[in-house]
Amino acid sequence: MRKTKQLTAIIEREEKGYMSLCPELDIASQGDTIEEARSNLVEALELFFEAAEPSEVEDRLITEVFTSEYGYFILI
């Protein structure tokens, strides 16, 4: 039986490009653009699901991930 779950993608600007992270499985990727970082993360997740045993997916999966926005901070 196949299960469907919505996963989180956090994409963060770095010095040269973007870093993408799926916190539920602790899988990350990167890219030169936001779109590329997202696409590369999707590919990394697909490869993980193809190769991983169901028990590994279950062991790595974090079921509660909370996100929040805090507004703006001024860095001096």
Side-chain angles (χ1 to χ4, degrees):
M1 182 172 140
R2 187 172 250 193
K3 294 181 184 178
T4 301
K5 176 156 179 60
Q6 185 171 355
L7 299 172
T8 306
I10 298 171
I11 300 175
E12 187 176 329
R13 179 110 168 98
E14 292 194 328
E15 194 172 311
K16 295 182 179 179
Y18 295 86
M19 183 278 301
S20 53
L21 171 70
C22 173
E24 290 90 346
L25 292 165
D26 195 28
I27 293 177
S29 193
Q30 63 182 14
D32 292 332
T33 65
I34 293 171
E35 311 300 334
E36 185 178 12
R38 182 189 175 283
S39 177
N40 289 344
L41 180 60
V42 168
E43 182 180 6
L45 288 164
E46 288 172 345
L47 291 170
F48 170 73
F49 287 122
E50 286 176 15
E53 294 292 326
S55 61
E56 182 181 359
V57 174
E58 201 170 302
D59 288 345
R60 288 183 66 154
L61 185 64
I62 298 169
T63 57
E64 292 184 332
V65 172
F66 302 97
T67 61
S68 180
E69 293 184 29
Y70 288 105
Y72 297 96
F73 293 91
I74 298 173
L75 301 176
I76 301 175

